[in-house]
Structure formats: structure tokens, C-alpha cells
């Protein structure tokens, strides 16, 4: 007889197979497994899709949406998150989306940033629809991650009435959670400012990362670029409240980190990872990357933690 845990996994897999199948199941993809393909939407927006080497068009496959930071492009995020590297990910489709330029040439931004008016909620919806029509996507296991402004936009996806019901879990890194509605410094109170949110469901899984030495998006929040940034701990606590979790987190020390700690609510349904006092505006990695320049390496790999977190969540 199967143990309870094995039985639960088997049942979830069966439900995925039946309910999670997208329209693209059974169709041969237009590019080879283990490679990338660039796409352009009818609106002229660009995105890039990576297929894992073991992709099977007859089997539902989880999918990750990944968003680059401000003033960056898809290539930067591919190199940074390494989610198309089999070292971290062998079985999830990864979709990298490209932000639009703002008023300043070369300045790419995401919806929610102070100088951005693009409809990236609509863009994400269009991309999800298009990819699901071509590939065999597990609709119960779609996830989102991103860096800086891309991380801030991941927070907005979690708060969107529609996409919060299509994306199973969210993992922003060094997120810029701008509140554009507060455009005066004297009105910005980072510890108490309320984050606007219209999530379409409860029990939304959140795993956020932030460094104590981040001088771009300060851990303690503040007024920046004409908008208010909440204190990161307050942002996480408000997510715990939305998910009806106890407001006192369980704190776990991160081995070998400079005062690094993971603050977990509801057994980890919502978690904030304080990367350490020495980690700046960076994607935490034990190896050199374009964020850390080989200095002040993190005690862990955020990408490994993100993959573990995503694997543990699916839509009901």
C-alpha cells in the first residue's frame, strides 16, 4: 500500500494530467528540447522560451515566468537566474519576458514602476495564452520570479485578480515594490504603508529575498523616484495577513551568512529571506554573477531555493 505522502503525490500527478493539460499538449513544438526560441506578440512585445531537454509534448510540464530588472534585457536575466541551466532546472519550461523602454532611451521598466505606463499584466496574459497553446503546459504549476523592478512586478502579479488565479507561487528577488499612489515624501511611511492588492484567491505562496546592504532598494524602504517603497519586512507581513497566517514568523538562521535569516509564516507559505548584512542589490549566489562581481557571495543559491519552493506548490 502506498504511504499517505506517496498517495498524495500520485493523486496530484493524476489531477495534473487530467485538469492541468493545456491546448498545446500533443503538438510538436516548433523548436528543439533543450534550446531557446525568441517570440514576438501581435503587439510587438518580445519574449524567449526555453524547453528542458526532457520535454515531452504528451506530458504536462511546469512553467516559470522570469522578469529582468530595470535597464536590463532578457539576456541579463537568463545569465542571472540560471533557471535554464540544468544545474538548477531540468524539467520546467522557462519564459523570459522583455520590458518596454520608458521615456528615457534604453531605460526598460515594468508596470508599477514610477515612470512606467505599460500594460505588463496584459502582456503576461498574452504570453501565457500563446505558450499554453503551443506547448504542453501544466496549468496547475505556473510560477513567477524576477529581480528588482521585475521582482516588484512579480508582487503585482500576485495581487492581480486574474493572474493570481493562474500562477501558483511567486518568488521575487530584491523586489522594488513601488506604491505609485503615494507620490510625496512626507506621506511615505515605510513601516506602515498599506500595499494595494486585489488578489483573486487566498493562501498565495510567497518566497521573497532581500539583502541588508541593498542601497538601491533599501531593506527598510523609503521614498524613491517619486514613489513610496515599503519596508520589506512589512511587505512580507502584509502577505501573511492576506493569507490569514499568524503575524509572528518562525525565524531560521541561514548557515554561514552574515546575520542571514529566513522568516517563515504559516510553515513557509509566506517566507522572507534576509540574505545577510553584506548582500546588496543582488540575486543571491554562491558563485560570481553580474550582480555580485565575485564579491560578497551569498551563503546560498536563490535559484535552488526558488526551484524547491515552486516544486512544493500547485493550484488546487
Amino acid at each position: 500500500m502506498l504511504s499517505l505522502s506517496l498517495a498524495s503525490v500520485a493523486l496530484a500527478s493524476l489531477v495534473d494530467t487530467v485538469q492541468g493539460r493545456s491546448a498545446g499538449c500533443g503538438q510538436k513544438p516548433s523548436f528543439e528540447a533543450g534550446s531557446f526560441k525568441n517570440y514576438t506578440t501581435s503587439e510587438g512585445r518580445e519574449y524567449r522560451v526555453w524547453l528542458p531537454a526532457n520535454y515531452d509534448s504528451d506530458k504536462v510540464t511546469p512553467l516559470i515566468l522570469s522578469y529582468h530588472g530595470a535597464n536590463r534585457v532578457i539576456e541579463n536575466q537568463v545569465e542571472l537566474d540560471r533557471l535554464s541551466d540544468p544545474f538548477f532546472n531540468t524539467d520546467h519550461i522557462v519564459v523570459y519576458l522583455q520590458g518596454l523602454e520608458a521615456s528615457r532611451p534604453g531605460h526598460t521598466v515594468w508596470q508599477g514602476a514610477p515612470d512606467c505606463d505599460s500594460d505588463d499584466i496584459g502582456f503576461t496574459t498574452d504570453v501565457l495564452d500563446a505558450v499554453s497553446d503551443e506547448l504542453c503546459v501544466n496549468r496547475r504549476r505556473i510560477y513567477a520570479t524576477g529581480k528588482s523592478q521585475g521582482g516588484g512586478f512579480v508582487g503585482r502579479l500576485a495581487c492581480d485578480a486574474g493572474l493570481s488565479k493562474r500562477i501558483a507561487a511567486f518568488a521575487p528577488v530584491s523586489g522594488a515594490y513601488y506604491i505609485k499612489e503615494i507620490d510625496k515624501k512626507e506621506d511615505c511611511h515605510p513601516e506602515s504603508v498599506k500595499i494595494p492588492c486585489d488578489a483573486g484567491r487566498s493562501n498565495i505562496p510567497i518566497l521573497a529575498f532581500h539583502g541588508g546592504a541593498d542601497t538601491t532598494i533599501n531593506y527598510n524602504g523609503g521614498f524613491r523616484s517619486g514613489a513610496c517603497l515599503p519596508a520589506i519586512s512589512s511587505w512580507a507581513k502584509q502577505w501573511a495577513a492576506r493569507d490569514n497566517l499568524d503575524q509572528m514568523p518562525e525565524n531560521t538562521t541561514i548557515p554561514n551568512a552574515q546575520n542571514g535569516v529566513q522568516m517563515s509564516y504559516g510553515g513557509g507559505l509566506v517566507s522572507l529571506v534576509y540574505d545577510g548584512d553584506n548582500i546588496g542589490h543582488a540575486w543571491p549566489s554562491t558563485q560570481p554573477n553580474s550582480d555580485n562581481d565575485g564579491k560578497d557571495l551569498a551563503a546560498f543559491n536563490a535559484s535552488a531555493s526558488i526551484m524547491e519552493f515552486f516544486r512544493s506548490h500547485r493550484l488546487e
Side-chain angles (χ1 to χ4, degrees), residues 209-214 219 254-263 272-282 284 296-300:
F209 300 81
H210 219 96
D214 192 333
Y219 183 83
I254 299 173
N256 303 315
Q258 289 192 15
N259 297 318
V261 62
Q262 178 162 336
M263 293 156 269
L272 169 60
V273 179
Y274 178 82
D275 308 337
D277 293 343
N278 62 321
I279 305 300
H281 194 60
D296 292 323
L297 301 181
F300 62 94

Side-chain angles (χ1 to χ4, degrees), residues 155-168:
R156 285 188 173 260
L157 289 174
C159 279
D160 181 71
L163 287 174
S164 62
K165 294 188 290 187
R166 295 184 66 177
I167 301 173

Side-chain angles (χ1 to χ4, degrees), residues 206-222:
I206 301 285
L207 173 63
F209 300 81
H210 219 96
D214 192 333
T215 57
T216 302
I217 305 298
N218 194 288
Y219 183 83
N220 295 314

Side-chain angles (χ1 to χ4, degrees), residues 34-259:
S35 66
F36 287 96
K37 182 177 178 179
N38 294 324
Y39 291 83
T40 303
T41 70
S42 59
E43 300 295 323
R45 299 293 302 269
E46 299 175 358
Y47 63 100
R48 182 180 300 176
V49 181
W50 179 78
L51 278 183
N54 63 0
Y55 174 77
D56 184 336
S57 60
D58 289 322
K59 295 181 180 179
V60 291
T61 304
L63 179 147
I64 301 169
L65 301 164
S66 188
Y67 300 84
H68 61 75
N71 305 325
R72 298 294 187 267
V73 293
I74 286 173
E75 286 80 4
N76 301 123
Q77 187 67 5
V78 171
E79 294 174 359
L80 197 60
D81 71 18
R82 294 180 60 194
L83 293 181
S84 56
D85 184 338
F87 182 81
F88 290 111
N89 172 30
T90 60
D91 56 0
H92 287 52
I93 298 166
V94 187
V95 181
Y96 293 93
L97 298 89
Q98 178 61 50
L100 286 179
E101 285 192 358
S103 54
R104 285 182 285 152
H107 183 54
T108 52
V109 291
W110 292 104
Q111 184 176 347
D115 54 352
C116 181
D117 296 316
S118 61
D119 178 15
D120 293 317
I121 295 291
F123 174 39
T124 298
T125 300
D126 291 345
V127 168
L128 267 182
D129 289 345
V131 174
S132 298
D133 283 346
E134 178 177 348
L135 302 175
C136 193
V137 174
N138 187 340
R139 296 182 301 175
R140 298 179 70 225
R141 297 190 59 201
I142 295 171
Y143 310 103
T145 187
K147 162 76 191 301
S148 191
Q149 268 197 28
F153 180 63
V154 168
R156 285 188 173 260
L157 289 174
C159 279
D160 181 71
L163 287 174
S164 62
K165 294 188 290 187
R166 295 184 66 177
I167 301 173
F170 305 81
V173 177
S174 302
Y177 310 110
Y178 287 109
I179 302 174
K180 295 171 66 173
E181 293 83 354
I182 299 177
D183 56 5
K184 295 180 181 178
K185 186 175 182 178
E186 59 268 27
D187 295 332
C188 179
H189 306 287
E191 290 292 342
S192 59
V193 63
K194 183 174 176 58
I195 290 93
C197 192
D198 186 29
R201 63 185 175 101
S202 58
N203 298 324
I204 292 179
I206 301 285
L207 173 63
F209 300 81
H210 219 96
D214 192 333
T215 57
T216 302
I217 305 298
N218 194 288
Y219 183 83
N220 295 314
F223 194 72
R224 184 178 190 272
S225 301
C228 188
L229 289 168
I232 302 302
S233 58
S234 175
W235 182 89
K237 185 168 288 190
Q238 289 186 51
W239 266 112
R242 288 187 202 100
D243 283 348
N244 299 310
L245 305 177
D246 193 311
Q247 294 294 284
M248 291 298 293
E250 178 182 348
N251 295 334
T252 305
T253 300
I254 299 173
N256 303 315
Q258 289 192 15
N259 297 318

Side-chain angles (χ1 to χ4, degrees), residues 82 87-88 283-289 292 297-302:
R82 294 180 60 194
F87 182 81
F88 290 111
W283 189 280
S285 174
T286 61
Q287 300 295 319
N289 61 25
N292 61 41
L297 301 181
F300 62 94
N301 288 304

